[in-house]
Amino acid sequence: MAAKAQRAHYVCQSCGSLAPRWTGKCSACGAWNTLLEEAAAGMPGSGLARGAKGRLVALESLSEAPPRPLTRVPTGLAELDRVTGGGIVPGSAALIAGEPGIGKSTLLLQLAAAFAAAGRRTIYFSGEEATQQVRLRAERLGLTGAPLALAAETNLGNNLATRAAGPRPELIVVDSVQTLWADALEAAPGTVSQVRAATQELVRAAKRDGFALVLIGHITKEGQIAGPKVIEHMVDTVLSFEGDRGHPFRILRAAKNRFGATDEIGVFEMAAAGLKEVANPSELFLSDRAASTPGSAVLAGLEGTRPLLVEIQALVVASGLGTPRRAVVGWEPNRLAMLLAVIDARCGISFAAHDVYLNVAGGLRILEPAADLAVAAALVSALTETPVPGDTVVFGEIALSGDIRPVGHTEARLKEAAKLGFGAAWMAMRRSRAPARSRTGDARLDIMAIGHLSEVVARLSLQRSPYRRGFREIAQ
């Protein structure tokens, strides 16, 4: 029986399901060639019939003690504090993931150095780089003066023993969790069993001893966090570090945050001296924009509580293929297909014979529906070769009927546009007719209240377009 209990089993590295024998395809998630052999190990809690009886646990009510205010420790990086909700909570666990080379290690080294420079004991466990490599990066970033405790170790037991020795740390950074391995498991580092066990032990220690834990995680080629999905449930915060290597901008998003909102973003710029915080991302995203160019529209967007102005670029060319090409960068491809259908059905403009290319300048990824009107304006502008006025911002959600629906935080969007020198705005028409001019701070913007998408098409002078042949008449 003992030999049977220790028999190896196969674990899917994609979903973590178990299989008694190897098969090419996982029966649970359908992934191919993801089953790896791992030796069965005794798990805590096995043999319930033979185990000792549990002890009684004291029960409490919600009203017995007044709730204590949530304490946060500022990180020293304002953009990181914005995403986390004001700082790092002691005893919390965070997981940050991103593509290789995007700047995860650089960001967390700056975070650890800022903590250590503030007099808080910080330990940085590097599993992918030697200590000398980390020192070279710190020298480049100008952080060698920070009293940061550094170690290159991948053994989970050694890391936990090092943490227990000496004064209690306030922050521990592990780079990365996929490199850790536990002696009790006969599996290679990075497998589902090792990643799950390492994360569980580290999170348990952080909750018990009250130090903040930050883990770096790898991502798969599909952009998902590598390892079992359960590790995202174990931690309190899941951060995603995004960016295009062709642009210096990096976006930090919170996919999960038990201590704050998940709709805020932090904007950084990758420079030779490390990641620099961007206090005014709108000005940076629009710095290289050429005004009055066909196929370009400025979106007055909103990320969390921060208004953000970004350029939407569209290119429409005649297609030589039977199926026109649709290429999108920074926006939802399905939403583009829906928008093209609305323009065709409600405005009589067909893109069936044209390739459509859409890009959000600066490498930003736009998620809010307020970008619909800006995308539509850029598409029609590119097709008709009629530029949207260069001093105009555009925002609004488009319904399937072609009606333009208002979006929230209008005053914040207009105020940001006025601050950057814009003089007009195309936006949705409220039920109570919007005024011709709207005061935003000390500036005034000319407001064009739009009720239907056909009004934008008419404003962009479709009748003078060289592509007018074959178009149906626009309903007035």
Side-chain angles (χ1 to χ4, degrees):
M1 296 295 293
K4 184 177 181 180
Q6 295 297 327
R7 187 172 57 185
H9 54 248
Y10 296 86
V11 182
C12 176
Q13 304 304 303
S14 178
C15 66
S17 62
L18 301 179
R21 61 182 61 86
W22 186 89
T23 56
K25 181 179 181 181
C26 175
S27 60
C29 65
W32 287 89
N33 299 324
T34 58
L35 293 177
L36 291 183
E37 182 180 1
E38 296 183 7
M43 298 297 293
S46 59
L48 294 178
R50 304 186 305 271
K53 294 183 178 180
R55 61 180 178 85
L56 295 177
V57 178
L59 302 178
E60 300 180 2
S61 67
L62 294 176
S63 60
E64 283 186 1
R68 292 178 298 177
L70 186 65
T71 59
R72 299 180 183 270
V73 180
T75 63
L77 302 174
E79 293 298 305
L80 182 57
D81 288 341
R82 173 189 290 270
V83 177
T84 57
I88 293 181
V89 178
S92 66
L95 175 67
I96 179 172
E99 294 183 356
I102 203 69
K104 303 183 298 295
S105 299
T106 300
L107 175 63
L108 293 191
L109 183 58
Q110 293 181 225
L111 166 64
F115 254 69
R120 303 182 180 94
R121 186 168 186 256
T122 305
I123 302 178
Y124 189 103
F125 288 116
S126 176
E128 300 182 351
E129 298 176 302
T131 54
Q132 184 60 28
Q133 292 176 285
V134 180
R135 290 194 190 98
L136 289 175
R137 180 185 293 114
E139 183 178 356
R140 176 172 57 87
L141 301 178
L143 304 175
T144 53
L148 176 63
L150 176 65
E153 181 58 58
T154 59
N155 185 284
L156 178 61
N158 295 344
N159 289 348
L160 293 175
T162 304
R163 173 205 55 81
R168 182 181 64 86
E170 296 191 39
L171 174 66
I172 290 182
V173 177
V174 178
D175 182 11
S176 65
V177 68
Q178 274 81 10
T179 63
L180 297 181
W181 57 278
D183 295 327
L185 299 176
E186 297 181 8
T191 57
V192 167
S193 301
Q194 291 285 8
V195 172
R196 181 171 54 228
T199 304
Q200 186 175 16
E201 288 296 328
L202 289 171
V203 171
R204 182 186 296 115
K207 301 294 184 183
R208 181 182 64 244
D209 298 339
F211 64 85
L213 174 67
V214 181
L215 307 173
I216 292 181
H218 297 168
I219 65 170
T220 63
K221 60 182 179 181
E222 291 83 12
Q224 303 296 323
I225 299 178
K229 196 71 174 178
V230 69
I231 66 173
E232 298 183 42
H233 297 282
M234 292 180 184
V235 298
D236 301 303
T237 305
V238 178
L239 303 177
S240 176
F241 207 36
E242 308 167 356
D244 186 354
R245 293 193 179 186
H247 296 89
F249 312 122
R250 301 291 186 266
I251 308 298
L252 185 65
R253 298 179 185 270
K256 170 188 176 182
N257 189 1
R258 289 174 177 162
F259 308 110
T262 58
D263 54 0
E264 294 286 357
I265 66 168
V267 183
F268 297 87
E269 181 181 8
M270 179 62 77
L275 290 166
K276 295 183 178 180
E277 301 174 78
V278 179
N280 189 356
S282 298
E283 186 175 4
L284 195 60
F285 284 131
L286 298 177
S287 59
D288 298 327
R289 173 177 175 262
S292 299
T293 301
S296 174
V298 177
L299 165 67
L302 195 75
E303 290 287 348
T305 59
R306 166 187 282 179
L308 191 66
L309 268 60
V310 63
E311 182 184 9
I312 306 294
Q313 301 171 344
L315 177 63
V316 179
V317 296
S319 177
L321 305 175
T323 303
R325 181 176 175 83
R326 306 288 187 252
V328 186
V329 177
W331 208 50
E332 287 293 334
N334 292 335
R335 200 161 186 89
L336 173 63
M338 182 192 72
L339 195 57
L340 292 176
V342 173
I343 297 176
D344 185 6
R346 306 306 179 188
C347 301
I349 302 178
S350 176
F351 289 82
H354 297 82
D355 293 334
V356 176
Y357 303 89
L358 187 70
N359 177 54
V360 179
L364 189 65
R365 183 164 58 94
I366 299 297
L367 302 176
E368 65 167 342
D372 290 352
L373 189 57
V375 171
L379 290 172
V380 176
S381 171
L383 184 64
T384 62
E385 295 187 351
T386 304
V388 177
D391 65 339
T392 302
V393 295
V394 186
F395 59 95
E397 181 181 0
I398 298 179
L400 293 180
S401 61
D403 295 330
I404 310 300
R405 295 179 176 178
V407 295
H409 304 281
T410 300
E411 289 300 322
R413 301 172 194 264
L414 297 178
K415 185 175 181 180
E416 180 73 7
K419 184 174 66 174
L420 294 181
F422 287 84
W426 294 0
M427 52 181 287
M429 178 188 300
R430 296 281 181 179
R431 290 184 178 179
S432 57
R433 289 275 179 167
R437 303 179 69 86
S438 174
R439 174 172 293 277
T440 56
D442 296 330
R444 287 179 178 269
L445 270 74
D446 291 326
I447 303 299
M448 177 182 175
I450 301 175
H452 195 271
L453 184 58
S454 59
E455 301 176 28
V456 175
V457 176
R459 175 61 68 98
L460 291 176
S461 304
L462 181 63
Q463 53 270 28
R464 296 197 302 268
S465 169
Y467 297 99
R468 184 173 182 267
R469 181 180 301 173
F471 286 169
R472 300 191 299 271
E473 292 294 331
I474 299 177
Q476 299 296 326

